[in-house]
Amino acid sequence: MNEFFADYSSWIWLGIMLILILIEAGTLALTTIWAALAAFPMIFISRTGLALQWQVLIFTGITLVLVIFTRSFVVKKFLGKKIETNVNALEGQTVLVVKPILKFQKGEVKVADGVIWSAKTADGSEVLEASECKVVSIEGNTLIVQKI
């Protein structure tokens, strides 16, 4: 087994690296990419004739170093950016009341992009048509507004 591994070890490390890259491409979770990166130098280290157990130990060490020292940075850099879209982006916006909001009846407001939303006030107060309000929160498909 060791003789076989010695003859084909660089190809085996290349295969391991490619398999790990394919797994990462399928998951996009930044988990196996570190081991794939660690497998790359192993292609060259294996050419030195180093024993299998030392190669595995070096591979494990490189993987651990990469995970410990780089994963948190990369996750923050690439996966940490959350772009507010759709409903979440409405909070804090100024809207125009197009149908009066009454104490026991929802009204309608128009947001900046022209979409009409049902709305009610946070405190149950009434707001007349053509008034400006600020979106304070969202409950389902209803904007909770406060008169400016």
Side-chain angles (χ1 to χ4, degrees), residues 53-70:
Q53 58 268 30
W54 287 108
Q55 290 182 36
V56 172
L57 184 66
I58 292 169
F59 171 74
T60 305
I62 293 172
T63 303
L64 288 174
V65 167
L66 287 171
V67 168
I68 292 169
F69 293 108
T70 62

Side-chain angles (χ1 to χ4, degrees), residues 87 90 106 117-118 137-144:
V87 175
L90 294 174
K106 291 180 183 178
W117 286 78
S118 62
S137 66
I138 300 153
E139 290 179 4
N141 64 348
T142 303
L143 301 181
I144 310 302

